[in-house]
Amino acid sequence: MKLRTFLTATAAAAALLTLGLPAAHAQSNYKSEYRMSLVLGTAFPWGKGGEIWANKVREKTDGRINIKLYPGVSLIQGDQTREFSALRQGVIDMAIGSTINWSPQVKQLNLFSLPFLMPDYAAVDAVTHGPAGQMIFKTLEKAGVVPLAWGENGYREISNSKHAIKSPADLKGLKIRVVGSPLFIDTFTALGANPTQMSWADAQPAMASGAVDGQENPLSVYQAAKLNTVAQKYITMWGYMNDPLIFVVNKDVWNSWTPADREAVKQAAIEAGQEEIAIARKGMVEAGKPLLKAIAAEGVTVTELTPAERQAFVDATRPVVAKWKGQVGADLIAAAEKSIAERSK
């Protein structure tokens, strides 16, 4: 009887050990550190979102997954447009990426760069959390990464060193720094400007020296980078596009984690995305838009367009939207437009 009891206990223990092997084996393959690529550091909402995500992942996985932030896209020598390719290849483990920077590899992401598509934050949320956002995530999955959540870089407003911009005519001949996207080149060319593509690292010295006259970026970037100190004394609030961010993980890295840890990383991304969006919109969604007042207090001329003035820019860029409709996808654009029309303001 005692022998039978001993054998039964031994068998049970062996079974428990066997059951525990897959998880233990999987965790033994975990990296000591995972590399997260970011364009901007923690002084900006974008980088702050990465910090929040990393901290939440560490907490939710009891330290099994440790993430190190690499801002300035330092893993790819500062070339923002190479980030998505490097992510698919495994040079980067995870990233919070810009729809703009990844659009050369994933044409559908140009949806968000179509000029004057999304007139307000409610429109942005309707698109990202509606059918169009789901279509984008499926496209990214097919492209070889695992998308988990949305963040936001923000509405891109235009600044320059010359004069206030109230009409397309005011842009004529201005050298405007833009990111490396053909759609941006088309948009600013249609408005009469001279778009100049360069990395963010090169942009600030170029503005300081007068090599370029202006740039377009969210106000959070304008403030954190202190662009008023590099001659950017005029800002126009035209809200011509919003740049959502996407929290993603390399597919092989994702598959190397246990199901429980995958769920933890996903939940951490969703929570971090929500917090990051709130940070990105701070000062613009409150009554009186305190961020605009803070910028004006630094001696910057802030121009807010009337509906009629904004419409002139919309009309001037209609040919750009028509040209890009085929590349972005008519079905995707239609889904986005439907969500915008039905949004709750």
Side-chain angles (χ1 to χ4, degrees):
M1 193 69 175
K2 288 181 179 179
L3 178 61
R4 186 179 302 155
T5 302
F6 171 76
L7 290 173
T8 302
T10 303
L16 284 171
L17 284 170
T18 302
L19 285 170
L21 277 176
H25 176 69
Q27 287 164 27
S28 70
N29 292 331
Y30 280 26
K31 297 181 182 181
S32 59
E33 174 187 289
Y34 292 89
R35 298 163 295 183
M36 182 193 298
S37 179
L38 299 159
V39 170
L40 298 175
T42 54
F44 302 83
W46 192 337
K48 195 68 181 173
E51 182 179 64
I52 294 169
W53 189 19
N55 289 340
K56 286 180 178 289
V57 166
R58 190 175 299 110
E59 179 184 333
K60 290 179 184 292
T61 64
D62 295 323
R64 287 186 297 278
I65 297 176
N66 292 290
I67 300 167
K68 183 176 179 180
L69 276 55
Y70 287 84
V73 275
S74 54
L75 293 170
I76 43 173
Q77 292 77 52
D79 187 348
Q80 297 163 227
T81 59
R82 287 180 53 217
E83 187 177 56
F84 188 77
S85 297
L87 185 65
R88 283 193 300 187
Q89 294 162 1
V91 175
I92 296 167
D93 298 316
M94 53 211 305
I96 301 177
S98 159
T99 57
I100 299 169
N101 292 337
W102 294 356
S103 62
Q105 288 80 37
V106 185
K107 297 296 185 185
Q108 293 86 341
L109 291 177
N110 284 294
L111 170 73
F112 300 103
S113 297
L114 291 174
F116 303 101
L117 173 68
M118 298 179 290
D120 51 40
Y121 289 121
V124 178
D125 294 340
V127 172
T128 56
H129 293 92
Q134 294 168 9
M135 292 164 74
I136 290 288
F137 270 27
K138 286 178 182 176
T139 298
L140 289 172
E141 287 168 4
K142 289 178 183 176
V145 301
V146 181
L148 302 176
W150 292 97
E152 182 172 291
N153 193 24
Y155 272 101
R156 298 177 78 92
E157 315 295 1
I158 190 163
S159 72
N160 81 101
S161 60
K162 301 296 186 183
H163 52 247
I165 295 172
K166 294 184 178 180
S167 71
D170 295 326
L171 270 165
K172 187 173 178 60
L174 289 184
K175 291 181 181 178
I176 304 296
R177 176 266 173 181
V178 297
V179 296
S181 162
L183 177 46
F184 278 63
I185 300 292
D186 286 350
T187 296
F188 282 88
T189 300
L191 291 169
N194 178 11
T196 304
Q197 187 275 321
M198 63 177 63
S199 71
W200 183 240
D202 294 333
Q204 286 166 279
M207 284 183 271
S209 69
V212 297
D213 302 313
Q215 61 86 52
E216 45 75 56
N217 254 307
L219 293 185
S220 59
V221 174
Y222 179 96
Q223 279 290 79
K226 296 181 171 56
L227 295 189
N228 63 302
T229 65
V230 287
Q232 298 299 292
K233 296 294 187 180
Y234 300 90
I235 289 180
T236 293
M237 304 297 297
W238 64 343
Y240 87 112
M241 68 151 292
N242 189 298
D243 179 24
L245 304 175
I246 307 177
F247 290 62
V248 303
V249 177
N250 168 275
K251 188 171 284 186
D252 290 337
V253 168
W254 178 259
N255 290 334
S256 73
W257 294 333
T258 64
D261 281 345
R262 289 179 208 160
E263 184 57 34
V265 172
K266 180 178 181 178
Q267 190 57 41
I270 292 169
E271 293 174 10
Q274 292 169 343
E275 292 182 31
E276 190 276 336
I277 288 172
I279 296 169
R281 296 180 182 179
K282 184 175 174 57
M284 291 303 295
V285 292
E286 300 87 349
K289 297 180 180 177
L291 181 54
L292 293 187
K293 292 180 179 177
I295 291 173
E298 295 172 345
V300 178
T301 299
V302 179
T303 300
E304 295 190 71
L305 301 178
T306 66
E309 287 171 337
R310 188 175 186 273
Q311 188 61 43
F313 289 96
V314 175
D315 294 340
T317 54
R318 285 192 195 283
V320 178
V321 176
K323 175 183 176 180
W324 280 81
K325 192 170 186 178
Q327 289 197 51
V328 174
D331 290 348
L332 181 60
I333 294 174
E337 290 175 336
K338 187 172 187 291
S339 293
I340 292 169
E342 295 173 350
R343 74 192 184 282
S344 299
K345 296 183 184 179

